[in-house]
Amino acid sequence: MIINPSKILSTCGVAVALVLAAQSFAGGKDHKHRDHHSWGKHHSSNVQVGPRPYFLIDDMDESWLKRKLQRCENKPLRASDFSIGHRGAALQFPEHTKESYEAAARMGAGIVECDVTFTQDKELVCRHSQCDLHTTTNILETPLASKCSTPFTPAEYDEAGNMVRPASARCCTSDITVAEFKTLKGKMDAANPRATNVQEYLDATANYRTDLYASRGTLLTHKESIELFKKLNVKMTPELKSASVAMPFDGFSQQDYAQKMVDEYKQAGVPARKVWAQSFNIEDVRYWVANEPRFGRQAVYLDGRYDDSSFDHRDPATWQPSMAELAAEGVQIIAPPTWMLLEVENGKIVPSLYADSAKQAGLDIITWTMERSGLLVDGGGWYFQTVNGLNPNPVNPEPGVINNEGDMVDVLDVLAQDVGVIGVFSDWPAMTTYYANCMDL
């Protein structure tokens, strides 16, 4: 799953020393917290959220929540573990780059994400997918393009000008060594399927994003991300990505992969309590629970079962394993997309049966991704589908309630106060940071 000039939040621009007292990892008003979600301390100074939270709050419909948030406009800000930088600050900075991570930390994200995949020489690097280099880096403009699994092919058109074949390419981290990977530059994730040349293919950033900060996206290995996060004093949530190559890869098994990721935190001296290892693959989570119990204790099961045609988030009979079974296996945190946690009832956004069931089973919930759906005036797309009418409740269908940018804040409030999530991923953490501070999360 962002603008630039910062709103002055303290008189004379004086930097405020910010110290988080040890307390529970943030949750909802009725949410019971576990000791392993201790915030620890964030010695972050001069947290800045810029104008976007104020824009979103001003755009909200009139309500007590809007008035409460407006009253916090001059409150000094601290970093918050409730605010998680999704791929850094990917709304305006190239994802998984040093610049993106630094922007997320500056906005007060207490936890920042490195999606973890591996290179040809089995070194771990930060990329959202093993095979996304053609859309997230400049590889097609470099000599390394010759090493891509599938070279760039321009779009093909018929005599009438109709596209009969889109432009394509496939470049993977496993195609190149880590040394070669480090020569690349990050770009905003996008590709133009109508392109007739490489330049057109790469020049495709969505109109609600920007290329303003994309001139030097610095790529990082996983180890480098750990050292940067230590310097920024943020906690870490690495996601072990599914391999796009057959496993084992040159003798490198899935278990080796899962273990290597954890080992790099141990080698860097990072306490397990500061790491939320994630995976969509339940077997990875089971591996950490069984073999690295300190890290497994707060390993996150990313619930991607919505892609399974037999799964219905509104029907517990289709949840295999069930919430109770996940908890019995030692899974303590589940992380579905935002829409799976929400429904519309009598014109209001409320927790879904899925959300209630997870809490009843004793599971903590993290969700994703705010600021990733483009303009909410058009409904917000995939991430808001259960509250914008795109995926209506078949039992009690109601029209969508998302129709302006400020509605994002109402969704955030329901997630925090009614669903009781302990953290929210965002492509631009400013709003989640502002909300967490105003609500003392």
Side-chain angles (χ1 to χ4, degrees):
M1 62 311 283
I2 314 178
I3 306 265
N4 322 319
S6 176
K7 184 160 185 150
I8 297 175
L9 297 177
S10 59
T11 59
C12 303
V14 177
V16 180
L18 302 168
V19 180
L20 279 176
Q23 52 184 292
S24 296
F25 190 98
K29 55 190 176 186
D30 296 320
H31 193 61
K32 295 182 179 178
H33 313 301
R34 298 192 180 92
D35 290 342
H36 71 274
H37 290 139
S38 172
W39 283 29
K41 294 182 179 180
H42 285 287
H43 298 283
S44 303
S45 63
N46 199 22
V47 169
Q48 302 171 11
V49 294
R52 183 157 177 79
Y54 307 92
F55 166 79
L56 292 172
I57 293 166
D58 287 345
D59 198 49
M60 294 173 66
D61 297 331
E62 289 302 319
S63 66
W64 72 268
L65 176 62
K66 178 176 182 176
R67 292 189 293 273
K68 178 176 176 61
L69 292 170
Q70 287 174 327
R71 289 195 295 270
C72 293
E73 66 177 1
N74 294 315
K75 181 177 181 177
L77 300 178
R78 55 171 170 76
S80 171
D81 289 0
F82 181 80
S83 180
I84 307 173
H86 181 242
R87 314 185 198 180
L91 185 60
Q92 290 200 4
F93 286 82
E95 63 186 49
H96 294 309
T97 61
K98 176 178 180 286
E99 295 77 15
S100 186
Y101 293 146
E102 290 174 336
R106 174 61 71 192
M107 283 184 276
I111 304 173
V112 181
E113 177 190 45
C114 166
D115 288 329
V116 179
T117 187
F118 57 87
T119 59
Q120 188 179 77
D121 44 355
K122 301 185 283 293
E123 291 298 318
L124 303 186
V125 296
C126 298
R127 285 292 92 196
H128 180 249
S129 168
Q130 188 163 43
C131 294
D132 71 3
L133 295 182
H134 52 289
T135 66
T136 66
T137 76
N138 65 337
I139 190 170
L140 292 176
E141 295 179 313
T142 76
L144 291 174
S146 63
K147 295 194 171 186
C148 289
S149 299
T150 304
F152 171 74
T153 303
E156 184 177 320
Y157 295 85
D158 63 20
E159 292 181 356
N162 300 308
M163 186 173 66
V164 296
R165 187 186 64 193
S168 63
R170 179 180 171 87
C171 304
C172 308
T173 58
S174 51
D175 294 334
I176 58 177
T177 66
V178 68
E180 291 169 330
F181 172 84
K182 287 290 293 176
T183 67
L184 301 176
K185 297 296 183 183
K187 63 177 284 290
M188 297 301 285
D189 184 14
N192 178 7
R194 306 188 66 84
T196 58
N197 57 59
V198 166
Q199 288 69 35
E200 289 178 354
Y201 186 75
L202 298 178
D203 185 17
T205 302
N207 62 6
Y208 59 89
R209 297 179 183 270
T210 180
D211 287 319
L212 185 62
Y213 305 109
S215 61
R216 65 171 198 278
T218 306
L219 302 194
L220 299 175
T221 66
H222 180 235
K223 288 180 180 178
E224 289 173 333
S225 78
I226 294 172
E227 292 307 311
L228 175 63
F229 295 164
K230 288 166 64 177
K231 178 181 177 181
L232 295 172
N233 198 36
V234 296
K235 297 174 187 175
M236 312 170 197
T237 183
E239 180 189 335
L240 196 72
K241 302 303 295 188
S242 297
S244 298
V245 292
M247 298 292 279
F249 175 75
D250 190 26
F252 189 55
S253 70
Q254 185 67 31
Q255 292 75 24
D256 294 335
Y257 182 25
Q259 186 64 52
K260 185 179 178 71
M261 189 183 84
V262 169
D263 284 345
E264 293 194 349
Y265 289 96
K266 294 163 70 175
Q267 292 161 7
V270 179
R273 68 179 182 277
K274 293 187 176 183
V275 180
W276 283 262
Q278 318 168 70
S279 182
F280 280 100
N281 182 353
I282 188 61
E283 294 301 329
D284 292 334
V285 178
R286 288 169 176 155
Y287 177 86
W288 292 321
V289 168
N291 297 281
E292 289 288 349
R294 289 185 303 151
F295 288 86
R297 191 180 182 195
Q298 56 188 34
V300 180
Y301 173 43
L302 296 164
D303 195 349
R305 291 177 291 180
Y306 51 80
D307 275 339
D308 187 337
S309 60
S310 65
F311 179 83
D312 181 349
H313 80 284
R314 295 185 174 108
D315 182 4
T318 68
W319 306 348
Q320 301 298 326
S322 68
M323 299 295 186
E325 288 168 338
L326 286 171
E329 289 188 61
V331 177
Q332 298 195 41
I333 309 173
I334 194 167
T338 52
W339 62 265
M340 286 172 59
L341 298 171
L342 305 171
E343 296 285 3
V344 176
E345 186 176 290
N346 298 322
K348 295 184 178 181
I349 302 172
V350 298
S352 66
L353 174 62
Y354 177 102
D356 289 340
S357 299
K359 288 199 297 183
Q360 289 168 8
L363 297 173
D364 284 328
I365 305 171
I366 294 173
T367 193
W368 42 277
T369 305
M370 290 292 177
E371 303 278 23
R372 195 160 183 83
S373 286
L375 296 178
L376 270 63
V377 69
D378 299 322
W382 189 85
Y383 287 93
F384 292 84
Q385 61 185 279
T386 49
V387 293
N388 63 13
L390 293 181
N391 186 4
N393 189 327
V395 177
N396 185 28
E398 295 206 28
V401 295
I402 298 295
N403 54 34
N404 61 59
E405 304 314 302
D407 286 338
M408 187 193 104
V409 187
D410 293 297
V411 168
L412 184 61
D413 185 63
V414 173
L415 290 169
Q417 305 299 332
D418 299 324
V419 174
V421 301
I422 62 173
V424 177
F425 280 91
S426 177
D427 275 15
W428 196 246
M431 187 66 240
T432 50
T433 296
Y434 183 102
Y435 177 89
N437 276 264
C438 192
M439 297 299 180
D440 294 321
L441 297 181

